[in-house]
Amino acid sequence: MSDELRGRGRSASDADDHLAAYLNEHLLASEGGVHAFKAAARTFEGSAHEAALLTLADEIARDRRDLAKLIQQLGFRPKGWKRLFTLVFRAVGSINPINLLRIRRGSMAQFELDFLTGAVRAKRSMWDALLELAEDDPRLDRRFLAALQLRADQQIDELQRINRETVRERFSPRDA
């Protein structure tokens, strides 16, 4: 147990409980994220951006598997009630609650891209937190986490590229 944990009156097992909960919450959210990216690909179906969004969905699924593997390596297990929420997130993500009608030229498509970018930024923040913890926790592989952090940065860049290339079709006058 580190001096820092002792100084805060927290045991190593309490810290692990908090970390396990945090990682499992991200794992839970990532299930909906995979489906949200697939739904966004349907929003942009037939466009030059459909393939990029499907690739991002595959990468998000890979990130989810990497996070699940990390959770297992740390010896953490998801709580039963969180598994139930995973099923709920899977169902909600598959119907695309952000852009139900999958209208590409409306404000909801913009919100959909904003939401996806925010979700990836939240994941990026998790990798940042884990990299910080890796300085004191030998169970965390800094190279692996840095690679995940870089992947998140690339995903954000791709979403921002899609946004730049499509924002005018949503908000600029048609005759401009």
Side-chain angles (χ1 to χ4, degrees):
M1 176 168 41
S2 74
D3 292 334
E4 197 169 316
L5 285 176
R6 266 195 293 275
R8 292 189 184 141
R10 227 176 4 180
S11 71
S13 65
D14 285 344
D16 270 357
D17 288 346
H18 294 303
L19 182 59
Y22 176 68
L23 296 178
N24 277 296
E25 288 157 1
H26 267 277
L27 184 64
L28 171 67
S30 71
E31 179 69 32
V34 170
H35 293 287
F37 273 89
K38 288 178 181 177
R42 288 190 301 276
T43 297
F44 286 84
E45 188 173 24
S47 77
H49 305 292
E50 178 184 8
L53 288 162
L54 287 171
T55 297
L56 285 169
D58 289 343
E59 287 181 13
I60 300 303
R62 181 177 164 203
D63 292 342
R64 185 177 195 290
R65 288 188 303 273
D66 287 341
L67 178 56
K69 187 169 91 174
L70 175 64
I71 290 169
Q72 285 182 331
Q73 288 172 345
L74 292 170
F76 302 153
R77 300 286 175 256
K79 303 285 187 211
W81 63 270
K82 288 189 179 182
R83 289 187 201 130
L84 175 65
F85 278 121
T86 297
L87 297 173
V88 171
F89 274 118
R90 183 177 296 152
V92 169
S94 67
I95 62 168
N96 190 6
I98 298 168
N99 189 357
L100 288 171
L101 299 176
R102 294 183 177 84
I103 298 171
R104 190 166 68 220
R105 297 191 184 278
S107 63
M108 291 311 294
Q110 183 66 46
F111 186 74
E112 187 171 26
L113 289 172
D114 293 347
F115 172 82
L116 294 174
T117 303
V120 176
R121 287 182 195 273
K123 176 181 63 180
R124 170 55 158 90
S125 184
M126 176 189 63
W127 301 138
D128 290 346
L130 291 172
L131 271 166
E132 186 66 29
L133 291 173
E135 291 183 19
D136 302 321
D137 191 336
R139 300 174 302 171
L140 297 170
D141 181 345
R142 290 186 58 74
R143 272 194 204 165
F144 178 65
L145 294 170
L148 292 168
Q149 187 183 55
L150 177 62
R151 194 184 315 160
D153 288 340
Q154 292 167 341
Q155 292 163 355
I156 291 166
D157 289 346
E158 182 66 4
L159 285 164
Q160 290 176 329
R161 181 191 66 79
I162 293 168
N163 183 50
R164 280 190 309 276
E165 291 179 9
T166 63
V167 69
R168 284 180 183 81
E169 71 184 43
R170 287 184 290 285
F171 300 121
S172 290
R174 299 283 180 234
D175 55 348

